[in-house]
Amino acid sequence: MRLDPQKVQPGQALPEVSHTIDRIDLIRYAGASGDFNPIHWNDEVAKAVGLPGVIAHGMFSMGTATRVITAFAGDPGAIKRLRVRFSAMIQPGQTLTAKGEVTGVDGDRVTIRFWAEDEHGEKVVAKGEAELDLGPGGSGGAVPRPEAVRAMTMAAAGPPDESGDSGGAVPRPEGLQAGSTATAGPPDESGA
């Protein structure tokens, strides 16, 4: 059920959401995204390129972190804009905990600052910003760009059901690395 925007106030903390990364999560995400880079599933290859072992996809970490917003909003379709910075790697067996707070409320529009950290407090997803439309229908007439749909599919889908369905395919994001920024939402006034 979608959150009532009249019950939201700036400074309000979002309930934390935690997820322990399993190797099967990464295999499922690779299949959904088409990103079969072996550093996400093969320890030997990951170590050969200087990593400590298999690492999670950055976009998987973002989708997992975004669950803090979808759980708060009650509807993944309420997310209209999303921006994060990838700041560290996370590996299978580690726990990613997402946290956030409301930074602004303007009618049905709510802005949120969020981040996700590992069990040692190191930020894996930093400087997260989200804009929600919590009004009836939540679209405000806007149609989400494909990037927003891709970014949110894994977050909204969560773990697969008993049939193995995780909610749909996610096309492969290109060129996103640690320290890079991902943005999804309607184009700005320059058309970018």
Side-chain angles (χ1 to χ4, degrees):
M1 183 169 170
R2 187 175 282 221
L3 180 66
D4 180 352
Q6 294 181 5
K7 296 181 180 178
V8 180
Q9 297 180 355
Q12 181 176 346
L14 279 61
E16 292 181 8
V17 174
S18 293
H19 178 77
T20 300
I21 309 295
D22 290 323
R23 192 172 293 244
I24 193 69
D25 292 331
L26 306 183
I27 294 167
R28 287 181 177 133
Y29 184 81
S33 69
D35 182 352
F36 292 100
N37 186 325
I39 65 170
H40 301 303
W41 57 270
N42 185 311
D43 280 310
E44 289 180 26
V45 171
K47 289 177 181 178
V49 298
L51 297 170
V54 166
I55 62 168
H57 304 75
M59 294 299 281
F60 175 81
S61 297
M62 182 184 80
T64 301
T66 305
R67 291 180 188 176
V68 73
I69 300 166
T70 58
F72 177 72
D75 177 6
I79 298 175
K80 299 304 164 200
R81 187 175 301 270
L82 180 70
R83 181 181 183 139
V84 302
R85 182 166 181 86
F86 302 114
S87 51
M89 297 177 283
I90 193 162
Q91 296 183 269
Q94 290 188 278
T95 299
L96 188 67
T97 300
K99 304 174 182 184
E101 68 179 355
V102 174
T103 57
V105 179
D106 183 10
D108 292 338
R109 296 279 178 173
V110 175
T111 54
I112 293 174
R113 180 177 68 93
F114 72 103
W115 62 95
E117 54 194 45
D118 66 17
E119 63 273 15
H120 305 292
E122 183 172 11
K123 287 189 179 175
V124 175
V125 176
K127 299 183 181 179
E129 300 170 4
E131 181 181 321
L132 309 178
D133 181 350
L134 296 174
S139 70
V143 176
R145 284 178 28 194
E147 297 86 33
V149 174
R150 280 196 299 267
M152 299 317 308
T153 299
M154 289 303 294
D161 62 20
E162 293 168 0
S163 72
D165 182 14
S166 64
V170 179
R172 180 178 186 216
E174 295 290 337
L176 295 175
Q177 303 171 4
S180 61
T181 300
T183 303
D188 60 22
E189 292 176 11
S190 69

